Amino acid sequence: MNLYFECKAGISGDMAVAALLDLGADVEKLNKALKSLNLEGEFDYKISDVSINSIRAKDFDVILPESHAEHGIQIDNKQQTDFEHHHEHSHKHHEHHHKHRNLDDVNKIIEKADCTTAAKVLAKKIFKIVAEAEAKVHGKSLDMVHFHEVGAIDSIADILSFAVLFDDLNPQKAFISTLSEGQGFVECTHGSLPVPVPAVCEIAERYKLKIKITENDGEMVTPTGAAIAAAICNLEIFSNKLPDEFVIKKTGYGAGKRKYKNPLLRVMAIEF
């Protein structure tokens, strides 16, 4: 199997997870990995079918006990906004626990997962790409980056789920299109951020991701989505040239939560 990630409508963590589920990746492996984290009460998730412009797609929704506005990234005890603005899920509201996790804490959680070593390595790589970008944007060292519990848990759920499902599909080759992005600004707790947001710009710069700015107003590529693309582009199985001709064996559609024309990530299983 070879995978082609068509990112003409952007990419985010939940879109990527949903697309691989729709493509046929083993949901039981995902359930086993997430359950083995022993984080009951910190998050739940729902997998469902939705319709985007009359196209049936999978939706992967991480449900957190904290509210949207209460999560983010902390550097030097001052809350920043990059992890706040791109949160991709709807949540229930409960009291805030004021816990934080650094990258080492996140890696320890991932290490506990009941999944393959290859999935753990990929998950850690994706998370480190995001963390390094956030640290660079804020002018701090990696060890000074501390994630609000909610932001970390949300990202862990998306990133570990993607890594488990990608490993399950075990592609021989992987291809990724240019990442289509929106324009304008996104609102966050402390003001507006330009699109592409700073962390996405940093990841795209460091890993030489190709981006195309569209007429869509708002964010289409999240830092997690960009990090997934960057991690795949640095795998040995990645190829930067899609075959001129190929046969589509199956197509998976992952629904996004953003309000723009066509929030769908399409991933094709191809032969050539």
Side-chain angles (χ1 to χ4, degrees), residues 66-237:
E66 278 78 9
S67 70
H68 178 186
E70 289 172 331
H71 84 284
I73 180 172
Q74 278 212 342
I75 302 175
D76 276 346
N77 297 319
K78 180 178 180 182
Q79 186 166 325
Q80 305 293 331
T81 57
D82 278 14
F83 263 65
E84 291 180 353
H85 82 275
H86 74 274
H87 194 51
E88 299 160 358
H89 310 290
S90 57
H91 309 305
K92 299 176 182 177
H93 294 250
H94 282 292
E95 70 280 358
H96 188 45
H97 296 298
H98 298 289
K99 293 181 181 178
H100 303 88
R101 289 184 168 108
N102 60 25
L103 187 58
D104 186 55
D105 295 327
V106 170
N107 285 338
K108 287 177 181 176
I109 292 173
I110 293 172
E111 194 57 42
K112 292 190 303 183
D114 187 355
C115 61
T116 67
T117 298
K120 293 177 185 178
V121 169
L122 180 57
K124 290 178 183 179
K125 182 175 184 178
I126 295 169
F127 215 104
K128 187 177 181 182
I129 290 171
V130 178
E132 287 177 335
E134 297 288 354
K136 176 69 177 299
V137 165
H138 296 293
K140 303 295 181 181
S141 63
L142 194 60
D143 60 0
M144 296 175 73
V145 177
H146 296 274
F147 306 102
H148 251 278
E149 180 185 25
V150 233
I153 289 297
D154 182 43
S155 298
I156 289 170
D158 280 347
I159 290 170
L160 179 63
S161 297
F162 174 81
V164 168
L165 298 175
F166 186 85
D167 178 68
D168 174 59
L169 292 174
N170 190 28
Q172 295 174 297
K173 290 285 184 182
F175 307 85
I176 297 180
S177 73
T178 297
L179 308 186
S180 292
E181 176 62 294
Q183 55 183 302
F185 295 85
V186 289
E187 295 300 321
C188 59
T189 305
H190 302 289
S192 297
L193 290 175
V195 177
V197 298
V200 168
C201 287
E202 175 60 28
I203 293 170
E205 176 186 341
R206 180 174 295 191
Y207 293 93
K208 297 178 173 57
L209 301 179
K210 293 183 178 180
I211 292 181
K212 177 183 179 181
I213 303 300
T214 71
E215 294 182 356
N216 278 332
D217 185 27
E219 181 187 35
M220 297 170 65
V221 179
T222 67
T224 298
I228 286 172
I232 293 175
C233 287
N234 279 270
L235 295 175
E236 290 185 2
I237 63 170

